[in-house]
Amino acid sequence: MTLHPLPAFDDNYIWLLHEGARALVVDPGEPEVVLNWLVQHNVALDTILITHHHADHTGGVAALRQATGARVIGPAFESMPEPLDRVGGGESVTALGLRFEVIDVPGHTAGHIAFFAPDAPGGPLLFCGDTLFSAGCGRLFEGTAAQMHESLTRLAALPGGTRVCCAHEYTLSNIKFAQAVEPDNAALADYAARCMALRAGNLPTLPSSIALERQINPFLRTDEASVAQAARTQNPALADDPVAVLATLREWKNGFR
């Protein structure tokens, strides 16, 4: 079983998991990228997983369903390209012989879900859409800081070896912000050097891992004194409350250049 990040648009990844003559894809915003790969490798599309409703994640679903007959699985409470099987947190689905646990992760959108395969060959797999990015998190378009904090806490509790398959190549810009928050974080400095080398070679920085994100991602480190102190530079009256710290970090990141 092999994992491929297929580049789409400017910075999206459509994740493709492939075994034998079958594959699944996650959040296919562009159908052509997927169809070209399938033809090139003589593979049939079995399943489409969708994490949330934004067009850069769903725009290719209808064309792929029509071309391949693939089963579509997506969030229970978001507007989706019908027909599909709708799922929510606490449920599980099986695709390519793998069991995927569905995790509710509202914040970026109100009904965002993630798919977690604890028994995937090569280590656990997490398809987290736009909730968790390497060294960052998604914007709060529809949810609250409290929801995002709870969602990220839920993801951070997954096994450290979990491969984190985010939907965008935002890592370098996120690292730049994370270093503004924690300039003395040695693990972050090492990670920055590795990621810059990867991008210089036009290689993806992803997947990351949950263990790494716990070390370098300020949005998973809101209970750290250094992160709270950095947030306080933006809001001197900020209380030592992880949700308030996350809200301040997210507002800071929104305007960070």
Side-chain angles (χ1 to χ4, degrees):
M1 187 170 284
T2 55
L3 181 68
H4 307 274
L6 305 182
F9 303 116
D10 292 332
D11 51 34
N12 283 66
Y13 287 128
I14 300 170
W15 289 95
L16 184 146
L17 193 60
H18 164 231
E19 181 177 49
R22 299 183 302 152
L24 68 79
V25 293
V26 185
D27 289 347
E30 270 191 314
E32 295 82 7
V33 172
V34 176
L35 290 171
N36 290 342
W37 193 96
L38 295 172
V39 169
Q40 182 180 353
H41 295 86
N42 194 28
V43 169
L45 185 61
D46 181 87
T47 304
I48 300 169
L49 304 178
I50 311 173
T51 63
H52 66 292
H53 68 80
H54 287 160
D56 61 321
H57 296 252
T58 64
V61 170
L64 288 173
R65 184 199 293 111
Q66 182 175 1
T68 68
R71 175 179 57 152
V72 182
I73 303 170
F77 302 111
E78 297 209 339
S79 177
M80 287 283 123
E82 299 284 356
L84 79 161
D85 297 333
R86 292 181 174 272
V87 294
E91 297 184 69
S92 64
V93 297
T94 300
L96 299 189
L98 281 181
R99 181 177 63 89
F100 289 89
E101 299 173 6
V102 181
I103 306 172
D104 284 332
V105 286
H108 181 67
T109 66
H112 202 304
I113 61 174
F115 294 92
F116 173 60
D119 303 316
L125 268 177
L126 174 68
F127 296 117
C128 51
D130 287 358
T131 296
L132 174 63
F133 295 124
S134 188
C137 75
R139 286 179 179 259
L140 300 177
F141 286 125
E142 298 172 10
T144 65
Q147 286 177 313
M148 180 62 87
H149 180 263
E150 184 177 351
S151 296
L152 293 176
T153 299
R154 198 171 289 138
L155 297 182
L158 295 174
T162 300
R163 290 168 287 171
V164 178
C165 300
C166 321
H168 290 273
E169 182 59 75
Y170 289 165
T171 307
L172 290 186
S173 62
N174 286 341
I175 286 173
K176 184 178 178 181
F177 175 73
Q179 289 185 309
V181 175
E182 289 193 284
D184 298 324
N185 185 325
L188 181 57
D190 290 343
Y191 185 53
R194 294 203 307 272
C195 289
M196 284 189 285
L198 287 169
R199 295 308 293 154
N202 200 32
L203 296 172
T205 61
L206 302 170
S208 178
S209 74
I210 289 293
L212 175 62
E213 294 305 315
R214 291 176 192 148
Q215 291 183 292
I216 60 93
N217 190 325
F219 295 95
L220 299 189
R221 296 169 55 79
T222 53
D223 56 353
E224 294 285 335
S226 56
V227 175
Q229 183 56 41
R232 207 167 284 114
T233 65
Q234 305 298 307
N235 179 6
L238 186 67
D240 282 333
D241 167 34
V243 172
V245 171
L246 186 146
T248 300
L249 291 178
R250 188 60 260 182
E251 284 296 319
W252 182 9
K253 177 68 168 65
N254 290 347
F256 186 82
R257 297 293 181 268

